[in-house]
Amino acid sequence: MLNETPVLAPDGLPYRLITLRNSAGMVVTLMDWGATLLSARVPMSDGSVRETLLGCASPEQYVEQTAFLGASVGRYANRIAKSRFELDGVPYALLPSQGENQLHGGPDGFDKRRWRIIKQNDGEALLSLDSPDGDQGYPGNCAATVHYRLTDDNRIAIEYRATVDKPCPVNLTNHAYFNLDGDCSDVRNHRLQLLAQAYLPVDEMGIPHEGLKAVAGTSFDFRTTKAIAQGFLADDDQRKVNGYDHAFLLDAEGDVSQPAAHLWSADEKLQMTVYTTAPALQFYSGNFLEGTPAREDGEYRAWQGLALESEFLPDSPNHAEWPQPDCILRPGEEYVSVTEYHFIAQ
Protein backbone atom coordinates (compact mmCIF):
# COMPACT_ATOMS: atom_id res chain seq x y z
CA MET A 1 0.00 0.00 0.00
CA LEU A 2 1.46 3.33 -1.06
CA ASN A 3 1.92 6.09 1.48
CA GLU A 4 -0.14 9.11 0.62
CA THR A 5 1.91 12.27 0.21
CA PRO A 6 0.78 14.81 2.82
CA VAL A 7 -0.98 17.84 1.36
CA LEU A 8 1.15 20.93 1.91
CA ALA A 9 0.13 24.53 2.49
CA PRO A 10 0.87 27.18 -0.16
CA ASP A 11 4.28 27.82 1.45
CA GLY A 12 5.30 24.20 0.82
CA LEU A 13 5.17 23.12 4.46
CA PRO A 14 2.59 20.95 6.28
CA TYR A 15 -0.36 22.49 8.07
CA ARG A 16 0.01 22.34 11.84
CA LEU A 17 -3.10 21.56 13.87
CA ILE A 18 -3.63 22.34 17.55
CA THR A 19 -6.20 20.69 19.83
CA LEU A 20 -7.51 22.32 23.01
CA ARG A 21 -9.46 20.31 25.61
CA ASN A 22 -11.09 21.16 28.93
CA SER A 23 -12.29 19.20 31.95
CA ALA A 24 -15.92 19.48 30.76
CA GLY A 25 -15.17 17.50 27.59
CA MET A 26 -15.20 20.36 25.09
CA VAL A 27 -12.68 20.05 22.24
CA VAL A 28 -11.52 22.93 20.02
CA THR A 29 -9.28 22.50 16.97
CA LEU A 30 -7.12 25.24 15.43
CA MET A 31 -4.71 25.54 12.51
CA ASP A 32 -1.61 27.70 12.15
CA TRP A 33 -2.56 28.67 8.59
CA GLY A 34 -4.64 31.81 9.03
CA ALA A 35 -4.67 31.19 12.82
CA THR A 36 -7.96 29.49 11.96
CA LEU A 37 -10.63 27.99 14.23
CA LEU A 38 -11.53 24.66 12.62
CA SER A 39 -13.91 23.02 15.08
CA ALA A 40 -15.61 23.54 18.44
CA ARG A 41 -17.29 20.43 19.82
CA VAL A 42 -19.50 21.13 22.83
CA PRO A 43 -20.70 18.44 25.29
CA MET A 44 -24.48 18.43 25.59
CA SER A 45 -26.69 17.68 28.60
CA ASP A 46 -27.74 14.31 27.15
CA GLY A 47 -24.14 13.11 26.86
CA SER A 48 -23.82 13.77 23.12
CA VAL A 49 -21.33 16.17 21.55
CA ARG A 50 -22.37 18.92 19.15
CA GLU A 51 -20.19 20.59 16.50
CA THR A 52 -20.93 24.33 16.61
CA LEU A 53 -18.65 25.67 13.84
CA LEU A 54 -18.87 25.46 10.07
CA GLY A 55 -15.69 24.05 8.58
CA CYS A 56 -14.08 22.15 5.74
CA ALA A 57 -13.23 18.44 5.50
CA SER A 58 -9.47 19.01 5.24
CA PRO A 59 -6.98 21.86 5.83
CA GLU A 60 -6.26 22.44 2.14
CA GLN A 61 -9.93 23.23 1.49
CA TYR A 62 -9.62 26.28 3.74
CA VAL A 63 -7.17 27.75 1.22
CA GLU A 64 -9.69 27.27 -1.60
CA GLN A 65 -12.77 28.71 0.12
CA THR A 66 -13.54 32.45 0.09
CA ALA A 67 -15.87 32.70 3.11
CA PHE A 68 -13.01 33.23 5.63
CA LEU A 69 -14.25 30.22 7.64
CA GLY A 70 -12.91 30.56 11.18
CA ALA A 71 -9.93 32.64 10.06
CA SER A 72 -8.10 35.48 11.78
CA VAL A 73 -8.54 38.50 9.52
CA GLY A 74 -6.46 41.69 9.36
CA ARG A 75 -4.80 44.14 9.26
CA TYR A 76 -8.25 45.62 8.92
CA ALA A 77 -11.31 43.40 9.21
CA ASN A 78 -14.38 44.26 7.13
CA ARG A 79 -14.37 46.83 4.34
CA ILE A 80 -12.47 50.01 3.51
CA ALA A 81 -14.25 52.02 0.81
CA LYS A 82 -12.38 52.48 -2.48
CA SER A 83 -9.35 50.84 -0.76
CA ARG A 84 -8.07 54.16 0.48
CA PHE A 85 -7.85 56.40 3.52
CA GLU A 86 -5.98 59.47 4.67
CA LEU A 87 -3.94 59.54 7.87
CA ASP A 88 -2.17 62.57 9.31
CA GLY A 89 -2.61 64.30 5.95
CA VAL A 90 -1.05 61.45 3.95
CA PRO A 91 -3.22 59.47 1.48
CA TYR A 92 -2.80 55.69 1.42
CA ALA A 93 -3.88 53.34 -1.40
CA LEU A 94 -4.58 49.75 -0.34
CA LEU A 95 -4.78 46.63 -2.52
CA PRO A 96 -8.45 46.06 -3.39
CA SER A 97 -9.93 42.61 -2.80
CA GLN A 98 -13.68 43.06 -3.44
CA GLY A 99 -14.31 45.20 -6.48
CA GLU A 100 -12.74 48.61 -5.82
CA ASN A 101 -12.93 48.09 -2.06
CA GLN A 102 -10.68 46.24 0.33
CA LEU A 103 -12.26 43.43 2.36
CA HIS A 104 -10.62 41.79 5.40
CA GLY A 105 -7.14 43.20 4.90
CA GLY A 106 -6.63 42.64 1.18
CA PRO A 107 -6.08 39.83 -1.33
CA ASP A 108 -3.24 38.43 0.82
CA GLY A 109 -4.58 39.23 4.28
CA PHE A 110 -3.69 37.67 7.62
CA ASP A 111 -6.08 34.77 6.89
CA LYS A 112 -3.78 33.63 4.05
CA ARG A 113 -0.55 33.48 6.09
CA ARG A 114 1.13 30.95 8.31
CA TRP A 115 1.16 32.18 11.90
CA ARG A 116 4.00 31.03 14.16
CA ILE A 117 3.00 28.83 17.09
CA ILE A 118 4.67 30.44 20.13
CA LYS A 119 3.05 28.33 22.84
CA GLN A 120 0.50 25.55 23.04
CA ASN A 121 -0.94 23.18 25.61
CA ASP A 122 -4.33 21.62 26.32
CA GLY A 123 -5.82 24.93 27.47
CA GLU A 124 -4.32 27.59 25.23
CA ALA A 125 -2.42 28.46 22.07
CA LEU A 126 -0.46 31.62 21.28
CA LEU A 127 0.38 32.43 17.66
CA SER A 128 2.16 35.40 16.09
CA LEU A 129 2.47 37.07 12.70
CA ASP A 130 4.72 39.83 11.40
CA SER A 131 3.32 42.04 8.65
CA PRO A 132 5.94 44.18 6.85
CA ASP A 133 5.79 47.87 5.96
CA GLY A 134 3.64 48.31 2.84
CA ASP A 135 1.86 44.96 3.24
CA GLN A 136 -1.40 45.18 1.20
CA GLY A 137 -0.78 48.95 1.13
CA TYR A 138 -0.68 49.52 4.91
CA PRO A 139 2.01 51.74 6.44
CA GLY A 140 4.58 50.42 8.92
CA ASN A 141 5.61 47.08 10.31
CA CYS A 142 2.86 45.39 12.34
CA ALA A 143 3.52 42.64 14.89
CA ALA A 144 0.35 40.73 15.77
CA THR A 145 -0.51 37.88 18.14
CA VAL A 146 -3.62 35.84 18.82
CA HIS A 147 -4.13 33.97 22.09
CA TYR A 148 -6.81 31.27 22.08
CA ARG A 149 -7.95 29.90 25.45
CA LEU A 150 -10.49 27.19 26.23
CA THR A 151 -11.86 27.59 29.75
CA ASP A 152 -13.40 24.89 31.91
CA ASP A 153 -16.82 26.58 31.67
CA ASN A 154 -16.78 26.16 27.85
CA ARG A 155 -15.65 29.60 26.71
CA ILE A 156 -13.45 30.15 23.70
CA ALA A 157 -11.56 33.32 24.62
CA ILE A 158 -9.72 35.04 21.75
CA GLU A 159 -7.30 37.89 22.42
CA TYR A 160 -5.68 39.80 19.57
CA ARG A 161 -2.76 42.14 20.22
CA ALA A 162 -0.76 44.29 17.82
CA THR A 163 1.93 46.96 17.74
CA VAL A 164 3.12 49.15 14.86
CA ASP A 165 6.10 51.38 14.09
CA LYS A 166 4.05 53.83 11.97
CA PRO A 167 0.48 55.01 12.57
CA CYS A 168 -1.94 52.57 10.92
CA PRO A 169 -5.56 51.42 11.24
CA VAL A 170 -5.70 48.01 12.94
CA ASN A 171 -8.84 45.90 13.32
CA LEU A 172 -8.43 42.17 13.96
CA THR A 173 -11.20 39.62 14.34
CA ASN A 174 -12.03 35.95 14.02
CA HIS A 175 -14.48 35.02 11.26
CA ALA A 176 -16.03 31.88 12.82
CA TYR A 177 -19.40 30.76 11.48
CA PHE A 178 -21.72 29.23 14.05
CA ASN A 179 -24.57 26.77 13.75
CA LEU A 180 -25.64 25.71 17.22
CA ASP A 181 -27.96 22.98 15.91
CA GLY A 182 -24.91 21.00 14.88
CA ASP A 183 -26.54 19.67 11.71
CA CYS A 184 -26.10 22.73 9.50
CA SER A 185 -29.82 23.30 9.16
CA ASP A 186 -31.03 26.82 8.31
CA VAL A 187 -29.46 29.18 10.84
CA ARG A 188 -32.36 31.60 10.47
CA ASN A 189 -34.26 29.30 12.84
CA HIS A 190 -31.84 30.31 15.61
CA ARG A 191 -33.00 32.94 18.09
CA LEU A 192 -30.80 36.00 18.59
CA GLN A 193 -30.56 38.83 21.08
CA LEU A 194 -28.17 41.60 20.02
CA LEU A 195 -27.73 44.28 22.67
CA ALA A 196 -27.37 47.32 20.44
CA GLN A 197 -29.37 50.49 19.85
CA ALA A 198 -27.95 51.29 16.40
CA TYR A 199 -26.72 49.58 13.24
CA LEU A 200 -24.84 50.76 10.16
CA PRO A 201 -26.73 50.61 6.82
CA VAL A 202 -24.58 49.63 3.83
CA ASP A 203 -24.87 49.60 0.05
CA GLU A 204 -24.81 46.49 -2.16
CA MET A 205 -21.03 46.24 -1.74
CA GLY A 206 -21.23 46.41 2.07
CA ILE A 207 -19.98 50.02 2.24
CA PRO A 208 -21.62 52.35 4.80
CA HIS A 209 -23.46 55.19 3.07
CA GLU A 210 -25.63 57.09 5.55
CA GLY A 211 -24.27 56.78 9.07
CA LEU A 212 -25.65 54.93 12.08
CA LYS A 213 -29.38 54.28 12.28
CA ALA A 214 -31.52 53.39 15.31
CA VAL A 215 -32.70 49.77 15.36
CA ALA A 216 -36.04 50.78 16.94
CA GLY A 217 -38.96 50.12 14.61
CA THR A 218 -36.81 48.18 12.09
CA SER A 219 -36.07 44.52 11.33
CA PHE A 220 -32.63 45.18 12.89
CA ASP A 221 -34.11 45.42 16.39
CA PHE A 222 -32.77 42.37 18.24
CA ARG A 223 -32.80 44.05 21.65
CA THR A 224 -35.52 41.58 22.58
CA THR A 225 -34.83 37.97 21.58
CA LYS A 226 -36.39 36.91 18.28
CA ALA A 227 -35.95 34.32 15.55
CA ILE A 228 -33.60 35.53 12.83
CA ALA A 229 -36.25 34.44 10.29
CA GLN A 230 -38.69 36.97 11.77
CA GLY A 231 -38.53 39.98 9.46
CA PHE A 232 -35.81 38.41 7.31
CA LEU A 233 -35.36 40.34 4.02
CA ALA A 234 -38.19 42.59 5.16
CA ASP A 235 -36.56 45.88 4.16
CA ASP A 236 -34.20 47.45 1.62
CA ASP A 237 -31.22 47.52 4.01
CA GLN A 238 -31.35 43.72 4.18
CA ARG A 239 -32.33 43.11 0.56
CA LYS A 240 -29.25 44.97 -0.69
CA VAL A 241 -26.99 42.27 0.78
CA ASN A 242 -29.34 39.23 0.76
CA GLY A 243 -29.94 39.32 4.53
CA TYR A 244 -28.02 40.61 7.52
CA ASP A 245 -24.42 41.69 6.92
CA HIS A 246 -24.29 44.74 9.16
CA ALA A 247 -22.35 46.15 12.08
CA PHE A 248 -24.20 46.86 15.33
CA LEU A 249 -22.80 49.42 17.79
CA LEU A 250 -22.88 47.59 21.10
CA ASP A 251 -24.45 48.74 24.37
CA ALA A 252 -21.54 47.12 26.25
CA GLU A 253 -19.16 49.83 24.95
CA GLY A 254 -16.09 47.62 25.26
CA ASP A 255 -16.92 46.15 28.69
CA VAL A 256 -16.05 42.45 28.29
CA SER A 257 -18.05 41.59 31.44
CA GLN A 258 -21.29 42.71 29.75
CA PRO A 259 -22.94 40.43 27.17
CA ALA A 260 -22.98 41.74 23.60
CA ALA A 261 -25.24 39.03 22.17
CA HIS A 262 -27.01 35.78 23.00
CA LEU A 263 -27.71 33.06 20.41
CA TRP A 264 -29.91 29.97 20.83
CA SER A 265 -30.11 26.84 18.70
CA ALA A 266 -33.46 26.13 17.06
CA ASP A 267 -33.97 23.17 19.42
CA GLU A 268 -33.09 25.46 22.38
CA LYS A 269 -30.65 22.89 23.76
CA LEU A 270 -27.60 25.12 23.30
CA GLN A 271 -26.98 28.79 23.99
CA MET A 272 -23.96 30.92 23.11
CA THR A 273 -23.24 34.29 24.71
CA VAL A 274 -20.75 36.72 23.17
CA TYR A 275 -18.62 39.12 25.22
CA THR A 276 -16.17 41.57 23.64
CA THR A 277 -14.06 44.66 24.22
CA ALA A 278 -14.74 45.68 20.60
CA PRO A 279 -17.23 48.50 19.98
CA ALA A 280 -19.26 46.62 17.36
CA LEU A 281 -20.38 43.19 16.19
CA GLN A 282 -20.80 42.45 12.50
CA PHE A 283 -23.80 40.12 12.25
CA TYR A 284 -23.56 38.15 9.00
CA SER A 285 -26.32 35.63 8.33
CA GLY A 286 -24.27 33.63 5.79
CA ASN A 287 -26.05 35.13 2.80
CA PHE A 288 -23.44 34.04 0.24
CA LEU A 289 -22.18 30.75 1.71
CA GLU A 290 -23.34 28.60 -1.20
CA GLY A 291 -20.51 26.68 -2.84
CA THR A 292 -18.25 26.83 0.24
CA PRO A 293 -16.71 23.36 0.84
CA ALA A 294 -18.34 21.72 3.85
CA ARG A 295 -17.04 19.33 6.48
CA GLU A 296 -19.78 16.90 5.42
CA ASP A 297 -22.20 16.69 2.49
CA GLY A 298 -20.18 18.54 -0.12
CA GLU A 299 -20.95 22.25 0.04
CA TYR A 300 -22.71 24.69 2.32
CA ARG A 301 -25.79 26.59 1.22
CA ALA A 302 -26.66 30.17 2.04
CA TRP A 303 -27.84 30.78 5.62
CA GLN A 304 -26.35 27.57 7.07
CA GLY A 305 -24.10 29.50 9.45
CA LEU A 306 -23.80 32.94 10.95
CA ALA A 307 -20.90 35.11 12.04
CA LEU A 308 -20.78 37.54 14.97
CA GLU A 309 -17.47 39.32 14.29
CA SER A 310 -16.12 41.66 16.97
CA GLU A 311 -14.57 44.76 15.42
CA PHE A 312 -14.55 48.47 14.71
CA LEU A 313 -17.32 49.67 12.41
CA PRO A 314 -16.53 49.04 8.72
CA ASP A 315 -14.69 51.81 6.84
CA SER A 316 -13.77 53.46 10.16
CA PRO A 317 -10.49 54.94 8.81
CA ASN A 318 -12.71 57.21 6.68
CA HIS A 319 -15.20 58.07 9.47
CA ALA A 320 -13.53 59.65 12.49
CA GLU A 321 -16.94 61.06 13.47
CA TRP A 322 -18.40 57.72 14.56
CA PRO A 323 -18.95 57.25 18.33
CA GLN A 324 -16.34 54.57 18.99
CA PRO A 325 -12.64 54.48 19.99
CA ASP A 326 -10.11 55.53 17.34
CA CYS A 327 -9.16 52.68 15.00
CA ILE A 328 -5.72 54.21 14.37
CA LEU A 329 -2.91 52.45 16.25
CA ARG A 330 0.22 54.52 16.85
CA PRO A 331 3.80 53.60 17.77
CA GLY A 332 4.14 53.06 21.52
CA GLU A 333 0.52 51.92 21.85
CA GLU A 334 -0.81 48.36 21.90
CA TYR A 335 -3.97 47.21 20.18
CA VAL A 336 -5.85 44.71 22.35
CA SER A 337 -9.18 43.10 21.42
CA VAL A 338 -10.74 40.36 23.54
CA THR A 339 -13.79 38.29 22.57
CA GLU A 340 -15.34 35.33 24.37
CA TYR A 341 -17.84 32.85 22.98
CA HIS A 342 -19.47 31.10 25.94
CA PHE A 343 -21.38 27.87 25.20
CA ILE A 344 -24.08 26.79 27.64
CA ALA A 345 -25.89 23.46 27.22
CA GLN A 346 -29.51 23.65 28.37
Side-chain angles (χ1 to χ4, degrees):
M1 188 172 153
L2 293 172
N3 288 330
E4 284 191 28
T5 306
V7 177
L8 302 178
D11 64 359
L13 298 171
Y15 299 94
R16 291 182 64 187
L17 304 188
I18 300 167
T19 302
L20 308 181
R21 306 171 190 276
N22 69 6
S23 60
M26 185 168 169
V27 180
V28 172
T29 311
L30 311 164
M31 173 170 66
D32 63 346
W33 193 265
T36 303
L37 265 179
L38 305 181
S39 168
R41 294 171 58 78
V42 178
M44 301 296 289
S45 299
D46 62 3
S48 65
V49 175
R50 186 173 288 190
E51 175 64 71
T52 59
L53 291 186
L54 269 57
C56 301
S58 59
E60 63 272 15
Q61 288 186 317
Y62 284 86
V63 176
E64 300 162 9
Q65 55 87 30
T66 57
F68 300 91
L69 289 178
S72 293
V73 293
R75 268 187 215 193
Y76 197 91
N78 217 313
R79 292 161 179 86
I80 295 181
K82 296 184 166 57
S83 303
R84 64 187 189 211
F85 62 90
E86 188 175 296
L87 177 53
D88 299 336
V90 179
Y92 291 94
L94 305 175
L95 293 182
S97 56
Q98 190 178 62
E100 64 176 355
N101 308 308
Q102 191 188 80
L103 172 65
H104 293 329
D108 188 25
F110 288 7
D111 62 295
K112 297 174 181 68
R113 314 277 176 92
R114 185 184 296 278
W115 292 57
R116 283 193 313 282
I117 300 172
I118 305 298
K119 176 174 71 172
Q120 68 174 103
N121 56 47
D122 273 0
E124 63 182 334
L126 178 66
L127 300 95
S128 73
L129 180 72
D130 292 323
S131 171
D133 187 10
D135 189 4
Q136 309 301 293
Y138 289 99
N141 296 289
C142 177
T145 62
V146 58
H147 186 202
Y148 287 103
R149 283 189 308 117
L150 176 59
T151 67
D152 282 334
D153 66 346
N154 293 342
R155 293 173 195 249
I156 302 174
I158 308 172
E159 180 181 80
Y160 289 102
R161 290 178 178 264
T163 57
V164 292
D165 61 5
K166 292 181 187 173
C168 183
V170 173
N171 185 30
L172 306 179
T173 195
N174 184 283
H175 208 305
Y177 289 82
F178 300 97
N179 187 314
L180 301 187
D181 283 319
D183 59 0
C184 293
S185 52
D186 194 320
V187 82
R188 292 173 293 182
N189 295 321
H190 283 44
R191 288 163 53 243
L192 176 66
Q193 182 179 25
L194 231 169
L195 301 164
Q197 309 296 318
Y199 75 100
L200 196 57
V202 294
D203 65 16
E204 288 79 1
M205 292 303 294
I207 300 298
H209 59 89
E210 58 179 270
L212 288 156
K213 189 171 171 181
V215 300
T218 76
S219 65
F220 291 80
D221 192 348
F222 286 92
R223 293 174 298 177
T224 302
T225 306
K226 68 175 183 179
I228 294 166
Q230 185 181 329
F232 196 77
L233 292 177
D235 54 56
D236 281 343
D237 280 345
Q238 280 193 69
R239 286 191 285 267
K240 283 175 183 168
V241 290
N242 208 33
Y244 295 104
D245 192 4
H246 299 80
F248 289 73
L249 191 66
L250 298 170
D251 293 349
E253 293 184 332
D255 182 351
V256 76
S257 70
Q258 299 298 312
H262 303 283
L263 183 69
W264 287 267
S265 60
D267 66 5
E268 299 191 355
K269 291 180 179 176
L270 188 60
Q271 175 189 339
M272 183 181 79
T273 297
V274 185
Y275 303 87
T276 184
T277 60
L281 277 183
Q282 179 88 4
F283 167 37
Y284 175 44
S285 49
N287 314 330
F288 299 100
L289 270 173
E290 62 268 10
T292 302
R295 189 181 286 111
E296 297 164 0
D297 303 327
E299 295 179 343
Y300 289 117
R301 300 185 301 277
W303 310 309
Q304 280 194 302
L306 65 85
L308 293 165
E309 308 154 53
S310 53
E311 56 185 41
F312 288 112
L313 295 168
D315 201 27
S316 286
N318 293 309
H319 292 280
E321 76 276 10
W322 285 340
Q324 62 175 359
D326 191 356
C327 72
I328 305 301
L329 183 65
R330 296 184 180 273
E333 301 174 345
E334 186 175 35
Y335 168 93
V336 182
S337 181
V338 178
T339 301
E340 296 182 354
Y341 296 104
H342 186 200
F343 298 89
I344 304 155
Q346 305 292 332

